[in-house]
Amino acid sequence: MRKLTILGSTGSIGVSTLDVVSRHPDKYQVIALAANRNVELMLSQCQQFKPQMVVMVCEQAASQLLVKFEQHKIADIKVLSGKQALIEVSELQQVDTVMAAIVGASGMLPTLAAVEAGKRVLLANKEALVTSGQIFIDAMKKSNAVILPIDSEHNAIFQCLPQHGQQNVGTCQLASEGVSKILLTGSGGPFRTRAINTLDLVTPEEACAHPNWDMGQKISVDSATMMNKGLEFIEAKWLFNVDADDIQVVLHPQSTIHSMVQYKDGSVLAQMGNPDMRTPIAHALAYPERIEAGVEPLDFFKTASFEFQQPDFKRYPNLKLAIEACKSGQAACTALNAANEIAVAAFLDNKIKFTDIFSINKASVTQFVANTVETIEQVIALDSKVRKYAQSMIEGLATDSYTKEKE
């Protein structure tokens, strides 16, 4: 029986993970759950899965959860709060598997802690590798941790690799195993056919309305800008130990083929399925076995015809920026992720336009691309600098907008 810590249990990946776990009570035991502030959902999860420990990063939420526990006579679950507690439950000796599903850079340190502790890490936090890829790979090799990708695209690539490649994530030599290219698919988001000159009018509600996937707000906006695909591009470089030129982004609006691997003999292997994150979660939870995930299999007689397109970088400048950052080095990637998190939050808060996200990201990468990033301390320091820089840009844009309105 695998013993689990789930980081980000109240988010979409965490909820899907617990749904799969609930179908196999003989295979999985939840030891610890961690979330930010969703007290009601955490209470429900605790009542169902009875973990030994719970972390609420928000101290107020932790206090509220304790009150709920008293009301419902729950006395045998330890409640912790704060960011350090995330690291603590990631390193628990009795835990062998950690689902790393905290969105953004805030999930970086607890995910690294799980890797350094030699855990089996189910990686849904792409920002960990984006912000500090070599550091994670070096830690994995030192601790003998196992990293299994959860993003549907990377999980699909993983499934299409030779067995030796699957067993050596982060250090595989795919060219020697006959692989010539990784084909990273993306739907193109909700604005694939929208007039480019109207993108500055996009609202947060429109950007969060993904045509195929049910995701959180931040990831939905990243999908609309295709920054999500850009971050996945960088993550794929580290997971599969390839160069940027070995990865090609392919638009596939139906989201049925989740990604592909091209071989030297002309073969292309694709992983297909309905767009449901429980499939890659179940695959990683049970690997190398297979378990039921609660997902309906594809009905090929009802499946839409497949379309494939090249990405238009005029429509998706953030994707091009991410590919260039991948080629430029770690500082560019760290800066890109930090700036993007600040810019997306400002857009969702109606402080900037949709198209301003790219402007802030590009300026931030240009400003910090030459920085040295070789330790986790340097990653954290650069991340902080970039966030302050991006925030100052947002304040400047807001001031300019206010001045124009007055004029």
Side-chain angles (χ1 to χ4, degrees):
M1 177 175 284
R2 292 204 170 274
K3 300 183 184 298
L4 310 176
T5 284
I6 301 177
L7 303 174
S9 69
T10 60
S12 60
I13 297 294
V15 169
S16 292
T17 300
L18 289 172
D19 180 85
V20 175
V21 167
S22 70
R23 299 169 188 274
H24 304 278
D26 59 322
K27 294 181 182 294
Y28 307 102
Q29 179 185 359
V30 176
I31 301 297
L33 297 174
N36 185 19
R37 62 174 67 247
N38 192 333
V39 173
E40 291 298 332
L41 182 51
M42 179 59 81
L43 173 64
S44 175
Q45 291 177 348
C46 288
Q47 289 173 319
Q48 180 176 358
F49 295 96
K50 299 176 174 56
Q52 297 174 13
M53 301 176 69
V54 168
V55 175
M56 301 300 287
V57 177
C58 172
E59 292 186 12
Q60 183 180 4
S63 298
Q64 293 171 352
L65 184 63
L66 282 170
V67 172
K68 295 285 186 181
F69 279 5
E70 290 178 10
Q71 293 172 347
H72 291 82
K73 294 181 171 55
I74 300 173
D76 53 353
I77 300 177
K78 185 177 181 181
V79 178
L80 305 174
S81 65
K83 294 180 180 180
Q84 184 60 35
L86 293 175
I87 294 174
E88 182 178 335
V89 296
S90 299
E91 299 173 329
L92 286 173
Q93 188 172 359
Q94 64 268 44
V95 166
D96 55 69
T97 302
V98 176
M99 169 58 80
I102 296 175
V103 175
S106 58
M108 178 180 65
L109 289 179
T111 304
L112 180 59
V115 171
E116 290 177 335
K119 306 300 185 185
R120 180 178 171 118
V121 180
L122 312 186
L123 188 64
N125 174 275
K126 63 176 66 65
E127 292 82 2
L129 287 177
V130 170
T131 60
S132 42
Q134 190 64 59
I135 295 169
F136 268 78
I137 298 304
D138 289 345
M140 179 198 71
K141 290 189 287 188
K142 184 177 180 180
S143 69
N144 292 318
V146 174
I147 296 178
L148 295 172
I150 295 298
D151 272 347
S152 61
E153 295 83 358
H154 301 98
N155 182 267
I157 293 163
F158 179 93
Q159 292 194 49
C160 294
L161 290 180
Q163 185 178 29
H164 187 266
Q166 293 181 355
Q167 294 172 346
N168 291 276
V169 166
T171 60
C172 47
Q173 301 293 327
L174 296 186
S176 66
E177 299 191 44
V179 173
S180 59
K181 194 173 288 291
I182 285 172
L183 302 173
L184 188 67
T185 62
S187 70
F191 308 131
R192 184 175 56 87
T193 60
R194 178 164 171 158
I196 294 177
N197 61 3
T198 69
L199 290 178
D200 61 339
L201 302 176
V202 165
T203 67
E205 292 73 23
E206 290 173 325
C208 290
H210 194 282
N212 301 329
W213 294 92
D214 181 16
M215 306 178 291
Q217 284 191 317
K218 197 270 180 181
I219 298 178
S220 295
V221 174
D222 282 349
S223 180
T225 64
M226 281 204 78
M227 176 57 80
N228 201 44
K229 203 56 50 185
L231 298 178
E232 289 170 3
F233 188 101
I234 299 168
E235 183 184 7
K237 164 192 162 52
W238 291 110
L239 283 172
F240 306 115
N241 193 29
V242 294
D243 294 328
D245 290 338
D246 299 323
I247 308 169
Q248 181 179 349
V249 176
V250 179
L251 293 192
H252 170 51
Q254 291 76 30
S255 296
T256 304
I257 295 176
H258 297 139
S259 274
M260 300 171 278
V261 174
Q262 178 178 303
Y263 286 81
K264 292 177 181 177
D265 62 4
S267 299
V268 176
L269 301 188
Q271 189 269 338
M272 295 184 286
N274 285 314
D276 191 316
M277 286 305 298
R278 290 177 296 175
T279 296
I281 289 168
H283 174 267
L285 276 172
Y287 181 80
E289 300 176 2
R290 298 273 181 171
I291 58 174
E292 193 271 328
V295 180
E296 289 294 319
L298 274 180
D299 184 338
F300 284 94
F301 302 110
K302 295 180 180 178
T303 300
S305 299
F306 294 163
E307 297 176 66
F308 303 99
Q309 302 165 4
Q310 287 187 332
D312 178 358
F313 290 137
K314 291 182 179 179
R315 180 179 299 279
Y316 304 116
N318 280 287
L319 174 59
K320 183 179 181 182
L321 181 63
I323 294 172
E324 291 172 347
C326 185
K327 296 177 180 179
S328 296
Q330 189 59 73
C333 297
T334 303
L336 177 67
N337 182 75
N340 186 65
E341 287 191 17
I342 294 297
V344 170
F347 167 69
L348 287 169
D349 205 22
N350 290 297
K351 292 180 179 178
I352 62 172
K353 295 185 294 186
F354 182 74
T355 48
D356 288 334
I357 296 173
F358 169 70
S359 300
I360 292 166
N361 290 343
K362 182 175 177 58
S364 299
V365 170
T366 302
Q367 179 73 16
F368 295 99
V369 65
N371 278 237
T372 299
V373 185
E374 296 177 348
T375 67
I376 198 66
E377 290 78 18
Q378 290 173 335
V379 170
I380 294 169
L382 178 57
D383 181 88
S384 178
K385 288 179 184 177
V386 176
R387 288 172 189 273
K388 291 176 182 176
Y389 179 82
Q391 192 62 51
S392 70
M393 283 195 67
I394 290 165
E395 291 168 0
L397 288 169
T399 301
D400 291 344
S401 177
Y402 176 74
T403 302
K404 288 178 182 178
E405 284 182 9
K406 288 192 72 176
E407 292 174 350

